Each structure stands twice: as C-alpha cells, then as structure tokens.
Amino acid sequence: MTTWDYRVIEFETAAPGEAEPHRWRAIHEVFYNNDGQPAGYGENPADVLWSVEEDDSSPANTLARMQAALTKPVLYARDF
C-alpha cells in the first residue's frame, strides 16, 4: 500500500556565474513505498485549497499536516 504525507524538500539549481548553486525549499506531497521509504513527490509544491462543499475544518487539517512537515527532517530532491 502506498501512503503519502507532506514533507519539506530542498532543491538546488546551478546558478550561472556563481560558485554555489541556488537552493530553496518547499512543502510537497511525498509518496512512500511499502517499506515506508520516500519514493516520489508531487511535481508542484502543495496548495491549500478545498471545495466549498467540504467541512470548514478541511483547510485547518491541511495546514496542521503541513505544519507537522516542518518538524520532520528535510528531504533532498537529488535523493529521489
């Protein structure tokens, strides 16, 4: 069974003319394999959005899960 959670992922891009790469972090949906290891992530950073038909606690739940992601070790895009 594949599971997912929000996690912070660090990315880096070569910066033309600079010795060090440009680095940034974003919260993404991360998918885990059957062994509980991160196996992939959503292409775009996670958004907080919900249908107007959903319970008003939906955005609060999403934000709480994103907040929890800030307490976990950072993942690195190069490791996927």
Side-chain angles (χ1 to χ4, degrees):
M1 176 170 85
T2 303
T3 59
W4 72 274
D5 202 358
Y6 293 113
R7 293 291 296 270
V8 175
I9 301 178
E10 183 171 300
F11 299 86
E12 63 179 51
T13 303
E18 295 186 23
E20 295 295 319
H22 173 68
R23 297 174 28 210
W24 73 96
R25 294 177 176 177
I27 295 175
H28 285 257
E29 293 177 346
V30 171
F31 304 95
Y32 298 86
N33 63 23
N34 290 336
D35 296 326
Q37 299 300 313
Y41 60 90
E43 179 179 354
N44 297 312
D47 289 326
V48 179
L49 54 95
W50 62 98
S51 168
V52 295
E53 290 82 19
E54 288 183 71
D55 185 304
D56 286 339
S57 66
S58 182
N61 292 337
T62 299
L63 289 170
R65 292 180 74 179
M66 288 179 169
Q67 182 73 29
L70 299 175
T71 67
K72 298 175 184 176
V74 172
L75 300 175
Y76 297 88
R78 66 179 176 263
D79 294 335
F80 286 89

